[in-house]
Amino acid sequence: MSQPQAGVCARTPTDVLQTVFGHQSFRFPQAEVIAHVMHGGDALVLMPTGGGKSLCYQVPALLRGGVAVVISPLIALMHDQVRALGKRGVRAATLNSTQSPEQAQAVRQALQAGHIDLLYVAPERMVSTRLTELLRQVPVSLFAIDEAHCVSQWGHDFRPEYLALERLAADWPGVPRVALTATATAQTRHEILNRLGLNQARVFVSGFDRPNIFYQVVHKTDVRAQLLQLITQSHSGQSGIVYVATRARAQALASWLRRHAVAAWPYHAGLERAQRQAHEAAFADTPGAVMVATVAFGMGIDKPDIRFVAHVDLPRSLEHYYQETGRAGRDGLPATAWLAYGINDVLQRWQLARNAQGSASQLQRVLQAFDEMLRFGESLQCRGQALSAHFGQDSGPCGHCDNCLARDMPQAQWDATEAAQMMLSTVYRLWRERGQRFGSGHLIDIVRGKATPRVRLQSHDTLSVFGVGAQWSVVTWRLVLRALLAQQMLVPDDEGYGTLAMTPASVALLRGQQKLLMRQLASD
């Protein structure tokens, strides 16, 4: 807890912004949000990571009098905020499970004495009887519900504890409530408003474009070598985050990077808390540090000079991707969002999605999120435009993604219709003529005319489609298969063996009524 200091002597939000936080002017729509909250209004605020959401409640907290209660999902995030505010002379504190009884009692006494302007708590503690009784003894200026997407079962980080926060309106009538998030589709926004009882709240949405971030999607070949090239050649001596799908992958990749002279640490929920904290501190203090992490890392991270965020596994959803890439370039300087994935990632993620536990509707949401992420990766559309559209906003081409740059290059697109028809015909003939289904590797061997022992054993070298696509490389065929999966013209079968089946969506392409266009990634 920061030491009690004199209250902020400022009369306007701009005074606080300049004297306490060191900024000269507000970004849109910060000033509108603050004015609305200052007059007692409820709000739902959607701003990209690094867009200044915190100021929307921190500034009115220092002007309305009393204590502002900030509900945050992560203890590490609370400590970061309290530490940063303390450096600016703001009286901030947290109550959480890592404190000793003596530390917690000191915070409670400071709160009762009026020496705290912002109190950070977890949602579980916020609805506890002890804290509720304590807050009834002091004036509360506002409630800020950070990472509000956690309340939504349509969102990507659902926390059931958030559901109890609806009672704040009844327990503290007239006290404004501000829900904040960086990622929420129209459906998620509706659920946030409904579940938190923010029926009269004003919704503020800033643009989802991040003009300083270069979005790039690459085909995964040797992903470790590709990542090392990104780090050492494009971002030498700069800090970054590498997101992976599993704890084991985080450990292995961090160790491999360290063996190649990169200051890298793993971060995942399986580490002891002290070890996670040590890795966080090393990442914050070491120039050129790289954190290799699962999604357990990064929510609310306060490190402005992250120059790249790399995904070496396919993210679970566009919401995850958008939030995680937004941790790059929070200082407004150029940064890179780099995603590498291949057909095996698609098949593995698809299988994980289909095996997910939960109701039929929850499974449908998982599959829908996966499909949206896959379409984003395969799309020839501007990346920034696609992200804005996903969150319900129209925008023009961003000019700072691989697809925008490719438009200016000759022969940047390839009409892959003929190759796609060859592959679909191969799948069709195997099933129609022999009742067989096979995985991607065997299908590629057939169309390329590679007479492997397995191909000969199955007499697939006698098929009319054997060798029809010999002019294209294995890499190109993998890209074609990946695109067909993204368009759901091929899907993994229901038996879970990694074999591929056609869908009704493939009929129009087979008949020549539809084209398949791809970015030219291979030289064949």
Side-chain angles (χ1 to χ4, degrees):
M1 183 184 70
S2 55
Q3 293 298 314
Q5 301 179 25
V8 176
C9 298
R11 294 179 297 173
T12 70
T14 302
D15 290 335
V16 173
L17 181 73
Q18 295 175 349
T19 60
V20 177
F21 296 100
H23 303 300
Q24 290 305 304
S25 60
F26 287 108
R27 301 178 189 175
F28 175 81
Q30 289 172 328
E32 287 186 67
V33 177
I34 291 167
H36 180 69
V37 174
M38 287 292 294
H39 287 89
D42 295 335
L44 170 58
V45 179
L46 283 85
M47 286 185 185
T49 302
K53 293 186 297 297
S54 298
L55 289 175
C56 293
Y57 62 82
Q58 289 172 347
V59 171
L62 300 179
L63 291 168
R64 282 179 57 85
V67 60
V69 181
V70 184
I71 298 139
S72 177
L74 295 177
I75 291 174
L77 178 55
M78 298 182 210
H79 284 305
D80 286 345
Q81 293 275 6
V82 169
R83 184 165 51 248
L85 288 169
K87 291 178 180 178
R88 297 185 179 279
V90 176
R91 305 181 302 180
T94 177
L95 278 172
N96 64 70
S97 58
T98 67
Q99 294 170 316
S100 67
E102 294 76 17
Q103 290 173 322
Q105 181 60 24
V107 172
R108 286 190 284 268
Q109 290 175 345
L111 182 65
Q112 291 175 311
H115 293 160
I116 296 177
D117 295 314
L118 288 105
L119 177 68
Y120 286 77
V121 298
E124 300 90 336
R125 186 174 293 264
M126 180 61 240
V127 295
S128 69
T129 301
R130 186 171 188 181
L131 182 58
T132 298
E133 292 176 351
L134 180 63
L135 290 176
R136 292 191 188 284
Q137 303 172 28
V138 299
V140 177
S141 61
L142 61 90
F143 290 101
I145 304 169
D146 205 5
E147 308 293 348
H149 59 268
C150 293
V151 79
S152 170
Q153 295 187 61
W154 286 95
H156 56 278
D157 285 311
F158 176 58
R159 287 275 294 269
E161 300 86 2
Y162 269 70
L163 299 177
L165 299 179
E166 181 181 9
R167 58 188 269 191
L168 295 178
D171 290 347
W172 281 273
V175 175
R177 293 169 298 146
V178 188
L180 308 103
T181 181
T183 53
T185 62
Q187 191 172 38
T188 301
R189 293 175 217 169
H190 175 76
E191 193 169 2
I192 291 172
L193 294 170
N194 182 54
R195 289 186 176 276
L196 293 178
L198 291 168
N199 302 318
Q200 303 302 315
R202 184 175 169 188
V203 179
F204 297 87
V205 182
S206 63
F208 288 92
D209 184 34
R210 291 160 168 159
N212 63 312
I213 297 181
F214 176 70
Y215 294 95
Q216 182 181 20
V217 179
V218 304
H219 176 62
K220 184 186 290 188
T221 52
D222 182 348
V223 73
R224 286 186 170 184
Q226 290 171 289
L227 176 64
L228 187 62
Q229 182 178 26
L230 173 76
I231 294 172
T232 59
Q233 296 186 18
S234 301
H235 295 284
S236 177
Q238 297 178 337
S239 293
I241 303 173
V242 180
Y243 282 105
V244 297
T246 66
R247 300 174 183 183
R249 194 162 171 79
Q251 291 284 155
L253 186 54
S255 297
W256 185 86
L257 287 173
R258 291 184 75 86
R259 291 198 299 271
H260 287 78
V262 177
W265 291 270
Y267 190 102
H268 54 78
L271 297 174
E272 295 292 333
R273 176 180 293 170
Q275 194 172 14
R276 290 200 305 270
Q277 291 174 344
H279 290 184
E280 284 182 16
F283 179 64
D285 299 336
T286 306
V290 175
M291 190 72 89
V292 185
T294 63
V295 294
F297 176 75
M299 187 181 287
I301 183 173
D302 188 21
K303 184 173 173 62
D305 61 342
I306 295 171
R307 297 271 65 85
F308 69 92
V309 169
H311 287 85
V312 298
D313 291 310
L314 197 65
R316 285 185 284 173
S317 69
L318 274 177
E319 284 87 350
H320 271 98
Y321 175 77
Y322 182 78
Q323 186 176 66
E324 289 157 9
T325 57
R327 289 158 192 160
R330 294 184 63 171
D331 53 8
L333 297 177
T336 301
W338 185 86
L339 166 63
Y341 79 103
I343 188 170
N344 288 337
D345 298 273
V346 176
L347 296 173
Q348 289 168 9
R349 181 63 80 182
W350 202 314
Q351 198 60 47
L352 286 172
R354 297 174 87 161
N355 292 337
Q357 300 297 314
S359 65
S361 61
Q362 289 171 327
L363 176 59
Q364 184 59 37
R365 294 171 195 170
V366 172
L367 290 171
Q368 179 182 334
F370 168 81
D371 290 341
E372 290 168 345
M373 188 68 238
L374 187 53
R375 284 195 296 271
F376 173 83
E378 292 296 322
S379 175
L380 297 175
Q381 180 189 9
C382 160
R383 306 285 184 198
Q385 204 170 24
L387 287 170
S388 294
H390 179 74
F391 293 109
Q393 285 193 334
D394 294 326
S395 66
C398 69
H400 51 86
C401 73
D402 53 357
N403 283 343
C404 281
L405 296 185
R407 289 195 186 97
D408 300 327
M409 298 170 59
Q411 299 179 336
Q413 290 188 6
W414 174 43
D415 185 345
T417 305
E418 182 184 5
Q421 289 171 331
M422 291 177 182
M423 181 57 69
L424 291 173
S425 295
T426 302
V427 175
Y428 175 78
R429 289 181 185 279
L430 285 168
W431 178 248
R432 181 66 182 270
E433 297 176 8
R434 308 195 182 188
Q436 296 174 329
R437 285 178 179 162
F438 290 88
S440 59
H442 190 74
L443 292 170
I444 291 172
D445 287 340
I446 294 173
V447 295
R448 294 191 70 236
K450 189 175 180 181
T452 66
R454 190 182 187 200
V455 167
R456 289 195 299 270
L457 178 65
Q458 298 286 342
S459 298
H460 291 163
D461 51 346
T462 65
L463 291 169
S464 61
V465 292
F466 183 75
V468 293
Q471 68 269 41
W472 291 304
S473 70
V474 172
V475 171
T476 295
W477 278 114
R478 284 182 169 270
L479 293 171
V480 171
L481 275 170
R482 203 177 70 181
L484 290 171
L485 285 163
Q487 297 292 329
Q488 293 189 339
M489 295 179 184
L490 287 177
V491 296
D493 66 27
D494 293 330
E495 296 179 3
Y497 295 112
T499 59
L500 301 177
M502 290 177 60
T503 73
S506 62
V507 174
L509 190 144
L510 269 174
R511 291 177 176 174
Q513 299 167 342
Q514 181 179 336
K515 290 186 175 182
L516 180 68
L517 298 178
M518 295 171 49
R519 191 141 51 92
Q520 185 75 57
L521 296 179
S523 55
D524 294 299

